[in-house]
Amino acid sequence: MAAENPEKLTDPPLISDATLRDSAHMAGVEFGPKDAAAIAGLLVRTGVELVEVGMVSGPGSKDAPLIEAVHEAVGPERSMTLLVVRDRQQVARALDEAERLGVRHIMYSIPTSEQHATLKLGTPSVKFLHAVARSAISQAKERGFHVTFSGEDGARTPRERLVPYVTNGFEAGADRFRLAETVAYLSPWQMEAKIADLTAIDGSEIEIHSHNMLGMAVANSLAAVRAGARWISATVGGIGERGGNAPLAELLTSLRVVYGDTRFDLTHLTELSRLALKGAGLGTAFQSGPTTPHAFAYELPGQLSNPEAYETLPAELVGGTRELRVRTRLTPALVTWALTDSGVEVDVDAFTSWLTERQIAAGGPVLDRDAVRKAAVDFQAAA
């Protein structure tokens, strides 16, 4: 069914799906290669143009099995992998790993807001931000990659900082820019205005990646399209960090009903949701918004130490609490955070390896901070 007089889309949006990247890196969620292959195959049969899979920061990527499984299922030309950007040398190592894995389309994660740039690049400097982006894009284009570059925390990045950054990226040779609403922040009409600033840049191709903490991810995505965005990023079931992402089923059915868009085979959506929820260990449903158990759950020490950089509103405002939630993606930095002020002293590197092995052997049960501390006591006793 569609609206009797649907609003016309001059350029119907293309869809990229980030389930195997954004959802897969949500705290406590870990998909296996078999899940990745099945989900990727169904996404392509649904009509999704691009399957985003994995994150690479250098050699020995832990996401290599997922990336390889998706390439086997749908081919590298239908997939995209995120590369972390910190400095020129780190980017070169990440590109080496992407080449080793046969990746053809990369998406750079580059923090654009002052707050995120300070945390991740070490400085809020606009000059440095432009230099890092230009260097990363140039290196990738020289190697023949299709390059999407992001504005991580772009929704909170002021126009006078964001527009020159995006212009700089396209001048460096990038193929597409993704505005990441890392922190759900904008209303649909604000989103439309922000995207209009970007689509006005000569030669720009714009993608929107919205989070759903405020329940407006689909509305914001459609508002972006009204302003000229060519791509929408979604996830199956809306699974993702910080209240989730734009849910694919709601997005595609909205395109069908509101715009009469019949390009997609919607018959796969229920099976996709079942597979993704099962693979993520989330039971039978994923709920978006600020009152869910996962809304303020983290597995990166930077998020736990600087939650204000990632939260639309404080957990306490809605009666919630911040939690550690991790399965096997343990790091010494994360373990150090969990053990701070616990009174438990261990060799962190040795304990991290021991606990990771125990988690894998046990099938990856979810750990919170108290569980990590209890495991450290067990490690001491076994030593």
Side-chain angles (χ1 to χ4, degrees):
M1 177 180 291
E4 290 186 9
N5 295 295
E7 183 175 341
K8 299 300 181 183
L9 288 170
T10 304
D11 292 305
L14 302 170
I15 307 299
S16 66
D17 184 276
T19 305
L20 299 173
R21 196 275 303 172
D22 202 317
S23 307
H25 290 91
M26 170 184 166
V29 173
E30 297 181 19
F31 290 108
K34 184 177 179 180
D35 296 321
I39 290 169
L42 282 174
L43 285 169
V44 168
R45 288 198 288 278
T46 299
V48 168
E49 282 289 327
L50 204 57
V51 178
E52 190 177 346
V53 55
M55 181 164 61
V56 170
S57 60
S61 170
K62 292 182 179 179
D63 286 339
L66 290 188
I67 295 168
E68 291 167 341
V70 169
H71 287 182
E72 180 70 23
V74 301
E77 67 281 351
R78 294 295 293 267
S79 69
M80 176 173 72
T81 295
L82 182 146
L83 269 62
V84 175
V85 173
R86 294 295 178 265
D87 56 51
R88 184 178 180 84
Q89 291 72 30
Q90 178 267 317
V91 167
R93 294 191 296 271
L95 289 171
D96 288 343
E97 178 74 349
E99 285 187 328
R100 183 185 75 80
L101 294 170
V103 173
R104 297 179 186 174
H105 187 158
I106 63 168
M107 200 274 285
Y108 279 130
S109 176
I110 305 176
T112 55
S113 69
E114 286 192 15
Q115 190 173 25
H116 274 244
T118 300
L119 284 173
K120 297 176 181 179
L121 301 179
T123 173
S125 166
V126 170
K127 183 177 180 181
F128 184 73
L129 174 65
H130 286 204
V132 167
R134 183 175 287 272
S135 172
I137 293 165
S138 299
Q139 288 185 70
K141 293 306 294 183
E142 288 170 2
R143 300 194 193 203
F145 287 101
H146 184 286
V147 178
T148 295
F149 71 113
S150 78
E152 185 181 352
D153 202 25
R156 294 193 301 181
T157 304
R159 182 185 188 278
E160 62 271 17
R161 184 180 175 93
L162 184 65
V163 172
Y165 164 77
V166 177
T167 302
N168 171 74
F170 281 114
E171 289 176 348
D175 299 284
R176 184 183 312 149
F177 172 74
R178 171 186 283 181
L179 181 77
E181 195 182 17
T182 306
V183 177
Y185 183 72
L186 300 177
S187 66
W189 46 93
Q190 291 171 318
M191 178 64 76
E192 189 169 351
K194 184 169 283 279
I195 294 294
D197 287 336
L198 305 181
T199 56
I201 298 169
D202 287 343
S204 64
E205 180 175 286
I206 306 299
E207 178 172 349
I208 178 61
H209 174 85
S210 194
H211 280 258
N212 207 31
M213 181 68 88
L214 301 179
M216 294 191 289
V218 169
N220 280 353
S221 297
L222 297 180
V225 170
R226 283 175 62 90
R230 290 291 296 118
W231 288 80
I232 299 174
S233 171
T235 65
V236 176
I239 301 169
E241 299 176 288
R242 297 177 299 282
N245 298 92
L248 181 69
E250 285 89 324
L251 175 64
L252 298 189
T253 52
S254 292
L255 289 171
R256 174 73 66 96
V257 173
V258 177
Y259 297 103
D261 187 347
T262 59
R263 292 174 298 150
F264 302 98
D265 183 351
L266 307 184
T267 62
H268 301 298
L269 292 176
T270 298
E271 178 66 6
L272 268 168
S273 293
R274 187 191 69 79
L275 277 173
L277 288 163
K278 182 179 179 182
L282 293 171
T284 59
F286 175 83
Q287 182 183 354
S288 63
T291 61
T292 61
H294 46 261
F296 300 98
Y298 305 104
E299 68 174 22
L300 296 176
Q303 294 172 331
L304 289 157
S305 301
N306 301 280
E308 70 284 349
Y310 296 90
E311 293 176 357
T312 302
L313 42 81
E316 297 83 5
L317 186 65
V318 293
T321 57
R322 295 178 192 91
E323 302 288 349
L324 170 65
R325 183 181 174 89
V326 64
R327 292 184 186 272
T328 66
R329 290 195 289 257
L330 292 152
T331 63
L334 184 63
V335 167
T336 297
W337 180 90
L339 295 181
T340 298
D341 297 327
S342 68
V344 181
E345 295 185 5
V346 295
D347 180 321
V348 170
D349 290 335
F351 171 58
T352 301
S353 297
W354 177 86
L355 182 55
T356 299
E357 291 175 4
R358 191 175 85 165
Q359 283 291 102
I360 292 171
V366 173
L367 297 174
D368 58 15
R369 183 169 59 178
D370 288 342
V372 173
R373 292 178 171 186
K374 182 178 183 302
V377 174
D378 294 341
F379 175 73
Q380 285 180 322

